[in-house]
Structures are given as C-alpha cells and as structure tokens.
Amino acid sequence: MTDRREIVVNDKMQTGYRYTLSAPEGEQFDVEFKPHYSPQTMLEMGVFEGRYLNDCTDEFPSEWYQNAKISPKPDITLNFFGVKSRQPLKVWQQKGWIYGPDPRGWFQWYCRYYLGRRLADIDRIQIKRWKGFARHAGQIRANCYPGDVFCRPRQRQGLLQWSYDPLI
C-alpha cells in the first residue's frame, strides 16, 4: 500500500481521534493473529445483539453495514445463536478490558486493525487477548458432540464475537 489514508473519528465515544492506515485492508496481519471472520461477516452473522458500532458508519466501509444485523436497542434475537452475549461497557471498563485508543474494546480494535491501522503495543496486547479466548473452543470440543452447534451457545456466540469459528 503506497498511499497512507488517515481516518478521522467523530462518534458518540470519540471526537477528533485520528489514525493512519498503514497496511492493506484485511492483509498483513501479525503471524500469530488468524481471525476466522472479517468484521463485515461478523456483523452480518449477528454479534453483540445488534448494538455495536451503530454510530460509527462514517468510520468503517459502508458495505460492512449493508447486511449487518443492527438495532437501536440490544436484541438477542439478532445474535447468531440467539443468546445474550454482551455486558455493559461499564463492566468492561471496571475489569480493565479497554486498551488504548479503542473505547469500545476488542472488536473496535479488530475493525481498525482489519482496515489497516497498526499500533505495535496495542496490537500485541489485543492479539494476546484474542489468543487467550481460544480456550472456549477447547471447552466446546471437550464437552460437545461434533456437529452439535446447539451445545454451549453462549460460548459459541463468544467465539464468533472474537472471530473464532463457533461452528466447530
């Protein structure tokens, strides 16, 4: 990528935040980071009860929203597995799960990373967190019959929201 595009963010949670895209969209990921889905696919499949990035349509590509399952209010029926899957942002903040310039957490970081933003220190933290979430796939493999996608739906929804394959 020869031209470096700058994104200016003005939404409910950030005003005037700027970042530069230094990698091609969806490419040049860290060798340890192998997400299963793109942010667009995750939004289309149904994540976060339809209530995530709804006010960020100017920051992210419009095609991400064309078939996204979004709602002005949390709606568990929009989640792929139809289960409650989100905690209030205040809980994430209290637990110290919000890092750096991404006030909405891991998925916001992933969307920006997918677009091509690279922040070495923050990327390292978030990729480590992503890798740690793999334990849920292990629990599904250990406790569910192969092909039974209705076993452990909350963990499967969580896997989807961290861009792991929930249909294992």
Side-chain angles (χ1 to χ4, degrees):
M1 176 178 213
T2 54
D3 74 296
R4 297 166 61 96
R5 208 170 50 127
E6 182 178 70
I7 304 289
V8 179
V9 178
N10 289 302
D11 60 36
K12 290 179 184 176
M13 296 186 73
Q14 283 182 312
T15 302
Y17 171 64
R18 298 172 181 273
Y19 63 91
T20 302
L21 304 179
S22 58
E25 182 176 326
E27 298 179 22
Q28 298 178 2
F29 287 8
D30 183 286
V31 296
E32 294 187 1
F33 185 52
K34 296 175 175 67
H36 193 77
Y37 298 110
S38 70
Q40 178 178 345
T41 300
M42 293 168 68
L43 291 167
E44 290 172 354
M45 288 179 74
V47 291
F48 307 106
E49 300 169 21
R51 190 72 187 106
Y52 202 94
L53 302 180
N54 300 30
D55 66 316
C56 300
T57 56
D58 291 339
E59 178 179 355
F60 300 111
S62 60
E63 58 267 16
W64 287 15
Y65 295 94
Q66 287 174 351
N67 296 307
K69 294 181 180 179
I70 57 175
S71 172
K73 294 183 179 183
D75 180 353
I76 64 171
T77 66
L78 295 178
N79 276 349
F80 189 81
F81 291 95
V83 295
K84 182 168 176 39
S85 65
R86 56 193 298 271
Q87 296 176 330
L89 183 60
K90 185 177 277 187
V91 171
W92 283 62
Q93 292 165 335
Q94 290 169 345
K95 292 186 181 259
W97 294 341
I98 304 295
Y99 295 93
D102 306 316
R104 298 168 196 256
W106 184 87
F107 186 62
Q108 184 178 44
W109 166 83
Y110 175 44
C111 291
R112 290 172 172 175
Y113 187 88
Y114 190 90
L115 280 182
R117 183 191 73 177
R118 298 295 183 267
L119 303 171
D121 292 343
I122 299 300
D123 296 349
R124 200 170 15 264
I125 290 168
Q126 296 292 23
I127 290 169
K128 182 179 179 181
R129 293 180 70 222
W130 174 81
K131 287 171 58 178
F133 207 82
R135 72 185 183 280
H136 293 281
Q139 291 173 1
I140 289 171
R141 286 185 187 101
N143 294 290
C144 299
Y145 291 107
D148 181 4
V149 297
F150 299 105
C151 179
R152 295 189 172 229
R154 288 190 68 187
Q155 278 188 308
R156 290 177 186 277
Q157 186 69 37
L159 286 172
L160 173 59
Q161 293 174 179
W162 282 77
S163 196
Y164 280 98
D165 182 4
L167 303 174
I168 52 175

